[in-house]
Amino acid sequence: EACANFANKLWNASRYVHMNIDDHDVKNELPKTLTTEDKWIVSTLNTVAKEVNENLEKFELGIAVQKIYEFIWDCYCDWYIELTKTSVMSKNDDSSMSERSLTAQNTLAYVLRETLKLLHPFMPFITEEIYQALPGSAETIMNEKWPGDENMKVWAEDCADFEKLMDYIKAVRAMRAEMNVHPAKKTSMVIETASPAAFEKGGAYLARFAFATDVTVTAKYEGSTDGMVNVATPDAKGFIPMMELIDREKELA
């Protein structure tokens, strides 16, 4: 049952990619200019490919396939696809948005293709079927170059910054779930952190995924903590006004 669910997840992810790359100039290569989220997903893929190759050399097949499974489900589907939706679905004719959309489309297709190669020895039929529909596909996925050569780049600093942001977003979402805050309810927040650049660059992500109306990033929060809900991660501490999270009259009742 779990494997059937995974196959469905993979199939639906590929459908999303096709919905957003068909009829566009998508090439069988990684774009030259990447955003932070693009660098994160490609770096994570390259790290996973290197680890999977090491596992396969030792015949640790179960560990290898678990890493591919987790990458597809947790990183590619649950995070990267969600991160690209604003870009690839935008109808804005602005040239910068159009360029960002094409970069996201190419990165989506590139990462899917490379991941299918890693997964193919374990799930040959569905991976071949999805691969054949991608632009620039060979006669069979088995003729493709196996991922994991020495040129697979990792942007360590960008990834570290992005993961700090992701950890904070996860913490905010967990807090909101515990308090039964409606997803439509947005709030302001102050973020105290020693890594301000990571959070200042991530304003768009915080607005969409942490439901923030406005964000203040500071090295030290000097304001009052009365009536504030705290959200803490190893790299940041968030202060969110309680009254913006709850319906006061409903709570009193």
Side-chain angles (χ1 to χ4, degrees), residues 133-145:
L134 288 171
S137 58
E139 181 183 356
T140 169
I141 194 171
M142 290 183 286
N143 289 344
E144 283 275 10
K145 182 172 169 44

Side-chain angles (χ1 to χ4, degrees), residues 158-182:
D158 290 278
C159 287
D161 282 351
F162 194 66
E163 281 166 8
K164 289 172 187 174
L165 200 61
M166 288 169 62
D167 286 343
Y168 179 78
I169 290 169
K170 288 175 190 172
V172 171
R173 293 168 79 101
M175 175 273 293
R176 289 172 63 98
E178 283 177 19
M179 294 179 65
N180 296 313
V181 180
H182 194 279

